[in-house]
Amino acid sequence: TPSSCLRPPSPPPTRALTPRTRELPPLPQLAELPELHQMMRQTCRDYAQKELAPIAAQLDKDHKFPAKQVKELGAMGVMAVEVPESLGGAGMDYLAYCLAVEELSRGCASTGVIVSVNNSLYLGPILKFGTEEQKKQWITPFTTGERVGCFALSEPGNGSDAGAASTLAQQEGDEWVLSGTKAWITNCWDASATVVFATTDKSLKHKGISAFLVPMPHPGLSLGKKEDKLGIRASSTANIILEDCRIPLGNMLGERGMGFNIAMQTLDSGRLGIAAQALGIAQAALDCSADYAHKRTAFGAPIGKLQAIQFKLADMALAIESARLLTWRAAMLRDAKKPFTKEAAMAKLAASEAATFVSHQAIQVLGGMGYVTDMPAERHYRDARITEIYEGTSEIQRLVIANNILKEYQQ
Amino acid sequence: MHRSSEVKHVASYLNTRGCECFGQPCESHCPVLTDRTIHVQLKTFIKIRVKPDRTGVVTDGVKHSMNPFCEIAVEEAIKLKEKKLVKEVVAVSCGPQQVQETIRTALAMGADRGIHVEVSGKDYETLGPLQVSKIFAALAKKEQADLIILGKQAIDDDCNQTGQMIAALLDWPQGTFASEMTLEADKMKVVREVDGGLETIKIKLPAVVTADLRLNTPRYATLPNIMKAKKKKIANVKPADLGVDVCSRLEVLKVDEPPQRQAGVKVETVDDLVGKLKEAGRV
């Protein structure tokens, strides 16, 4: 039967000289990026192809955290791309980080988000707002892949409405006491520390929120059940429950009342990481479809000859390429220390909608084969969906973009 | 025990051509080039095409990358350096401008500096093991290298000659098809994978070793090393500067695609099979 020719080949035995080395076609954009970034992208692509892609399906089935791979990525410097070398990071720029996340997500979307959360949401705010002492304590151990961090902002009662945080932080002597529940925290079951947002003064509304660093495990901090998700199943997501959780005063990140600001700035950058993840998923879905279009025959010829399929592939590639350029531009603006909020929102919106569109069409191109687990298309479809939701829903992105535009046209 | 001051330079020759099909029958077989999609066994993203004039394969626009066996050679050289058994690793490649990318990859893996021997155009098309080994012998003398490690063969032409020729030209001992190499004082113990099994030899330095598949697993370039590679130097040299004539003594008569696979014939009994084989003159 035709479907039996399309079973994925068995995983390669070693990294070198495996039959599936360098399986994916080159992307023409490689010629446009600076050489450093091209090399970095290539190394991440090689890693994703050889070490992530072969195990991604199994990781998804088992809901298994890729601890070994995270350590290897740590050794490569990918878990702390922007962190300066003096603190143990790779000392590269944000564009390099986005390229890394995209290439890794092309292999395994869960690994992509684990890398992204550690880099952007955990290390990001500490790098920007932490004291030198805090950086040494909370950054360096988290650059090697041995430990990962997480970011606790959302609560069961508020996601998009981040200003309505109800987790409390009360000062008692020389300690902060945190109490409340955080929801949907990526990486939490595998994390060794978290950045938590709690309100120190409810009457000030969002201006009363502050950020805190809490080690994990810690007395007073417990984890809810691991959510059984539609996609990105190798990364853990759960509630963090704080009951009389005591931390030293020195664990406040930034100034009192700065929490909301820290969260918003962190998410501005974080959304580029998610945009990159979405691009990786979309690209993997396109790879899958284009390959299938060559092989599957119907009506006497490969289906790639049919205009219906060709139009789909064109639309898919266009969606990805547009989103990719938006992402790169936003990253470059950030690296040049220019304002990039609007561009980042556009990138995340475009990339996540591209991911859902492309993965949806990929299943359509594959037909029945797209619906079964033998082909990765169904996993891309499931993985893509979350990108429109976390780190700012598509609706929030539209609000951010609109606000920025209205500001530009302010009378 | 290991006198690291003795082994000054390890020059690692990188073959930037080559594509792997493991000698198994594949759809569009050799000559296939090292390009982005090497393994043509199951999926061919870039179809290797024979040029219309049948003098070779189309190389225009095909991305080249480091020969896998040479990756293993570079990895071994870097490992020696990490063990402080050698002082410096120099990565060398012969070819047009694009080989600089391959040299940079070696630098990103940990080599200290690179040498790009510029050979382009017609000269590059006809560049073969004899010319390369002459270039290399000249470089080895100039750089005063103590050890040369290269891949056992390039996966585009499968010649398996360069290492051996270099050793002959320099009158150095050689350890080919190495699956293990250990430096013991001024001798290199090499375990060779040969048809009959494993052969262990000890060769005095300076020497040439060619890397086989199981010598090691090459590392991924780490991001910090990629950053460092930017600052490492790649020197530019021409074959004429080394006194080498790259003119080829070989002329390619023709290059063809492999014949289309013919349909087989099913037989009922062993006797039928023997009969058919006899008919075809195979037995």
Side-chain angles (χ1 to χ4, degrees):
Chain A
T1 65
S3 59
S4 63
C5 316
L6 297 156
R7 302 288 162 192
S10 51
T14 61
R15 184 205 163 227
L17 296 179
T18 61
R20 289 176 73 218
T21 309
R22 302 182 182 89
E23 182 187 291
L24 297 170
L27 294 179
Q29 300 88 327
L30 283 172
E32 266 59 77
L33 289 167
E35 195 187 352
L36 197 71
H37 293 75
Q38 286 184 47
M39 289 178 70
M40 202 232 76
R41 194 182 193 194
Q42 190 59 54
T43 212
C44 291
R45 176 174 303 174
D46 287 342
Y47 187 85
Q49 257 174 263
K50 289 163 201 161
E51 312 285 344
L52 295 178
I55 59 168
Q58 198 59 45
L59 287 176
D60 171 75
K61 268 205 191 86
D62 299 337
H63 297 237
K64 183 168 172 251
F65 181 78
K68 171 168 176 278
Q69 285 71 25
V70 168
K71 284 205 190 84
E72 287 170 357
L73 288 169
M76 282 166 70
V78 173
M79 292 306 285
V81 181
E82 231 195 350
V83 173
E85 285 191 68
S86 55
L87 288 168
M92 295 185 88
D93 59 17
Y94 216 66
L95 177 61
Y97 160 68
C98 290
L99 294 168
V101 173
E102 181 187 338
E103 292 302 330
L104 295 175
S105 302
R106 194 181 183 187
C108 172
S110 304
T111 309
V113 77
I114 293 166
V115 170
S116 177
V117 166
N118 197 58
N119 270 281
S120 299
L121 300 187
Y122 175 72
L123 294 173
I126 305 175
L127 203 57
K128 197 160 182 198
F129 300 99
T131 62
E132 288 312 308
E133 255 321 297
Q134 284 175 331
K135 286 184 196 175
K136 281 206 203 86
Q137 187 188 348
W138 300 91
I139 290 188
T140 308
F142 292 78
T143 59
T144 60
E146 297 281 328
R147 292 170 198 268
V148 296
C150 60
F151 179 84
L153 175 65
S154 292
E155 296 175 358
N158 55 271
S160 295
D161 189 10
S166 63
T167 303
L168 290 171
Q170 285 158 316
Q171 187 171 349
E172 278 181 23
D174 59 351
E175 285 179 324
W176 286 109
V177 184
L178 306 174
S179 56
T181 312
K182 293 295 185 184
W184 311 120
I185 312 306
T186 305
N187 277 356
C188 72
W189 271 87
D190 310 287
S192 302
T194 177
V195 178
V196 180
F197 294 85
T199 180
T200 37
D201 194 335
K202 251 212 140 176
S203 63
L204 294 174
K205 304 225 181 101
H206 67 270
K207 294 212 174 107
I209 300 174
S210 309
F212 301 89
L213 297 163
V214 185
M216 291 163 75
H218 193 71
L221 187 151
S222 56
L223 301 173
K225 73 161 179 39
K226 254 198 229 186
E227 301 291 350
D228 185 8
K229 306 190 293 288
L230 177 66
I232 55 161
R233 301 211 280 213
S235 106
S236 56
T237 306
N239 287 3
I240 291 182
I241 300 137
L242 301 155
E243 288 172 299
D244 195 43
C245 177
R246 290 168 185 271
I247 48 173
L249 288 180
N251 281 30
M252 176 177 273
L253 182 65
E255 301 292 319
R256 186 176 177 140
M258 260 184 95
F260 186 76
N261 224 326
I262 294 177
M264 291 304 110
Q265 287 190 48
T266 304
L267 288 172
D268 266 352
S269 299
R271 49 193 56 139
L272 287 177
I274 297 306
Q277 184 205 18
L279 288 174
I281 298 171
Q283 188 62 51
L286 178 61
D287 294 336
C288 186
S289 317
D291 182 50
Y292 194 79
H294 274 300
K295 301 227 176 82
R296 173 69 175 173
T297 54
F299 305 100
I303 59 173
K305 296 268 183 213
L306 300 167
Q307 285 189 334
I309 301 295
Q310 289 178 356
F311 288 169
K312 281 192 203 300
L313 293 176
D315 289 337
M316 288 155 83
L318 175 61
I320 298 175
E321 202 53 47
S322 323
R324 184 175 285 134
L325 289 174
L326 277 169
T327 308
W328 288 4
R329 187 159 93 95
M332 290 192 229
L333 283 170
R334 185 186 184 283
D335 287 333
K337 305 221 194 308
K338 301 235 161 63
F340 69 102
T341 304
K342 179 182 76 168
E343 287 76 9
M346 288 176 146
K348 200 258 183 186
L349 180 60
S352 52
E353 293 195 340
T356 46
F357 168 71
V358 173
S359 53
H360 181 114
Q361 291 302 315
I363 295 189
Q364 200 63 18
V365 170
L366 265 63
M369 278 311 284
Y371 204 64
V372 295
T373 54
D374 301 54
M375 294 294 263
E378 60 82 28
R379 189 181 78 244
H380 299 321
Y381 184 73
R382 292 185 287 108
D383 286 339
R385 195 60 191 86
I386 190 63
T387 61
E388 283 199 57
I389 297 170
Y390 62 11
E391 268 181 74
T393 58
S394 297
E395 290 68 32
I396 291 292
Q397 304 307 334
R398 289 185 161 88
L399 291 180
V400 170
I401 298 168
N403 281 332
N404 274 278
I405 294 186
L406 287 169
K407 250 192 255 169
E408 284 167 27
Y409 285 85
Q410 193 88 54
Q411 298 299 323
Chain B
M1 265 241 307
H2 301 283
R3 286 178 282 176
S4 55
S5 56
E6 280 212 301
V7 185
K8 288 201 290 285
H9 298 177
V10 175
S12 211
Y13 171 56
L14 307 173
N15 194 314
T16 55
R17 308 156 76 193
C19 178
E20 182 61 73
C21 47
F22 292 116
Q24 293 174 38
C26 49
E27 299 165 42
S28 56
H29 187 59
C30 39
V32 290
L33 284 177
T34 302
D35 50 46
R36 292 305 314 126
T37 61
I38 297 180
H39 301 282
V40 291
Q41 273 177 313
L42 294 170
K43 300 181 189 186
T44 313
F45 282 82
I46 294 177
K47 198 159 166 58
I48 302 303
R49 282 189 297 274
V50 176
K51 284 200 265 198
D53 60 6
R54 293 158 92 208
T55 56
V57 295
V58 176
T59 59
D60 280 341
V62 171
K63 186 159 199 297
H64 291 55
S65 52
M66 198 189 299
N67 185 38
F69 291 113
C70 297
E71 261 184 327
I72 297 175
V74 173
E75 173 66 23
E76 197 61 25
I78 294 166
K79 274 201 163 99
L80 286 171
K81 185 167 157 228
E82 285 174 344
K83 290 189 200 142
K84 301 217 196 317
L85 298 174
V86 304
K87 264 179 62 184
E88 193 188 26
V89 175
V90 183
V92 182
S93 193
C94 306
Q97 192 57 26
Q98 64 208 84
V99 311
Q100 294 225 358
E101 238 181 85
T102 310
I103 301 177
R104 284 237 181 266
T105 309
L107 295 176
M109 283 170 74
D112 296 296
R113 59 184 167 93
I115 299 177
H116 170 206
V117 181
E118 234 187 285
V119 181
S120 43
K122 207 78 192 73
D123 283 340
Y124 184 58
E125 280 175 39
T126 57
L127 191 69
L130 185 57
Q131 301 101 306
V132 170
S133 50
K134 285 182 185 168
I135 290 172
F136 227 82
L139 267 175
K141 287 200 193 114
K142 186 160 170 260
E143 296 282 334
Q144 296 185 301
D146 298 294
L147 179 61
I148 301 178
I149 313 181
L150 24 150
K152 69 172 181 181
Q153 67 196 58
I155 61 177
D156 54 5
D157 56 18
D158 282 329
C159 283
N160 179 16
Q161 295 171 6
T162 310
Q164 292 88 332
M165 284 177 172
I166 298 175
L169 286 167
L170 289 169
D171 198 22
W172 286 7
Q174 56 181 272
T176 52
F177 313 108
S179 63
E180 221 182 284
M181 41 192 279
T182 330
L183 190 58
E184 292 173 358
D186 63 339
K187 293 207 180 66
M188 182 72 76
K189 184 172 97 174
V190 180
V191 177
R192 307 178 56 229
E193 287 195 2
V194 295
D195 288 343
L198 297 172
E199 180 193 53
T200 308
I201 59 171
K202 271 204 187 136
I203 50 178
K204 255 188 112 162
L205 293 184
V208 177
V209 176
T210 70
D212 206 330
L213 181 58
R214 279 160 279 274
L215 182 59
N216 61 46
T217 308
R219 65 193 61 196
Y220 293 98
T222 66
L223 269 49
N225 276 343
I226 291 174
M227 295 275 283
K228 287 192 192 119
K230 214 167 64 155
K231 302 189 193 112
K232 293 178 184 173
K233 290 208 171 10
I234 300 180
N236 250 323
V237 172
K238 293 209 170 47
D241 301 340
L242 301 167
V244 174
D245 168 22
V246 287
C247 184
S248 177
R249 271 68 164 166
L250 302 174
E251 188 196 330
V252 172
L253 296 177
K254 69 173 163 82
V255 172
D256 273 328
E257 301 246 343
Q260 288 282 19
R261 222 182 139 165
Q262 301 297 326
V265 173
K266 268 192 169 160
V267 292
E268 295 295 309
T269 69
V270 173
D271 287 332
D272 282 347
L273 175 62
V274 174
K276 282 244 186 272
L277 287 170
K278 280 199 173 137
E279 248 175 62
R282 304 287 188 165
V283 171

